[in-house]
Amino acid sequence: GAGVSQTPSNKVTEKGKYVELRCDPISGHTALYWYRQSLGQGPEFLIYFQGTGAADDSGLPNDRFFAVRPEGSVSTLKIQRTERGDSAVYLCASSLAGTSDEQYFGPGTRLTVT
Amino acid sequence: DAKTTQPPSMDCAEGRAANLPCNHSTISGNEYVYWYRQIHSQGPQYIIHGLKNNETNEMASLIITEDRKSSTLILPHATLRDTAVYYCIVRVAAGANSKLTFGKGITLSVRP
């Protein structure tokens, strides 16, 4: 079956620009997570949705980062006034519920801020 | 979540068992041990998880010590496709705090 998909796969943007990254979770998965991964590091948690609401946004680094999931399915991670330090792979994962269920990861979006 | 400690890297010969250690000495009673792996340029992939009993599935076996302070992931017959970064993660089972906290993991290189 279809897994988690993320678009675009690569995004190059200039410093100061606004970007949106999209995640399509596995159908029926109520929990959705965003992580970001810098080179040589493990993924770092950003935000977790249970349905439409953000249950935990403690990992968002600052107010330039925002994420939505208006219908409880697709999610968009939005980054305003991008900085070079935002360059990373942004990973999305989904699971049946926010419990011990395994998380299924997408391939990620590689964001490069020049 | 409790922290985990893994060696940075190890290698093994193709066809042999790969035993990947993990220390989690501050694990709490309600925390599970999870293993994920990440093949180059892909998202992490779930392997296995357990609470206190040993677990086995089609991918691997997880051996947790009786005091739960350490565990070992065993790939019984490693192949070249098992070359990846393996993450040992300790996590509560349910509730809002269900995020995964990744460390740097252990890089497993399987040699022909």
Side-chain angles (χ1 to χ4, degrees):
Chain A
V4 177
S5 63
Q6 294 185 246
T7 54
S9 55
N10 282 282
K11 176 70 176 178
V12 180
T13 191
E14 292 180 349
K15 179 177 177 294
K17 298 290 188 183
Y18 167 84
V19 296
E20 290 189 352
L21 311 179
R22 176 187 168 107
C23 172
D24 281 85
I26 292 173
S27 177
H29 280 192
T30 58
L32 185 145
Y33 306 78
W34 284 98
Y35 297 83
R36 75 174 175 180
Q37 187 170 25
S38 300
L39 194 63
Q41 305 295 316
E44 173 190 25
F45 169 77
L46 295 177
I47 187 169
Y48 153 54
F49 286 90
Q50 183 60 264
T52 60
D56 182 2
D57 64 357
S58 62
L60 295 178
N62 51 59
D63 61 6
R64 295 186 298 105
F65 288 75
F66 189 72
V68 295
R69 195 186 185 200
E71 298 179 356
S73 178
V74 170
S75 177
T76 304
L77 178 66
K78 308 180 180 191
I79 310 174
Q80 298 178 320
R81 305 183 304 280
T82 52
E83 300 177 357
R84 292 194 180 88
D86 299 334
S87 296
V89 175
Y90 289 80
L91 294 160
C92 176
S94 70
S95 70
L96 280 171
T99 65
S100 61
D101 292 337
E102 62 182 278
Q103 294 182 19
Y104 295 83
F105 283 80
T109 293
R110 180 175 298 278
L111 175 66
T112 303
V113 182
T114 62
Chain B
D1 295 334
K3 290 187 177 179
T4 62
T5 304
Q6 299 177 258
S9 63
M10 68 176 291
D11 64 20
C12 75
E14 188 177 20
R16 304 297 294 268
N19 298 306
L20 286 69
C22 180
N23 287 322
H24 32 78
S25 59
T26 61
I27 192 169
S28 300
N30 65 342
E31 289 180 317
Y32 285 70
V33 180
Y34 283 76
W35 283 83
Y36 279 74
R37 74 179 183 183
Q38 188 171 24
I39 295 170
H40 184 61
S41 297
Q42 297 183 17
Q45 175 192 22
Y46 167 84
I47 301 173
I48 198 167
H49 75 280
L51 183 63
K52 55 183 178 181
N53 297 321
N54 298 337
E55 302 288 343
T56 295
N57 62 20
E58 65 278 4
M59 290 183 69
S61 293
L62 174 60
I63 308 298
I64 303 174
T65 58
E66 192 169 343
D67 64 6
R68 303 212 317 128
K69 293 185 177 182
S70 66
S71 60
T72 301
L73 179 75
I74 300 173
L75 307 180
H77 305 288
T79 70
L80 298 179
R81 287 176 295 182
D82 292 321
T83 292
V85 179
Y86 287 77
Y87 298 98
C88 171
I89 299 166
V90 169
R91 173 195 184 211
V92 296
N97 191 22
S98 56
K99 64 190 177 190
L100 295 169
T101 302
F102 291 84
K104 291 190 175 182
I106 178 172
T107 299
L108 173 68
S109 300
V110 180
R111 60 181 187 277

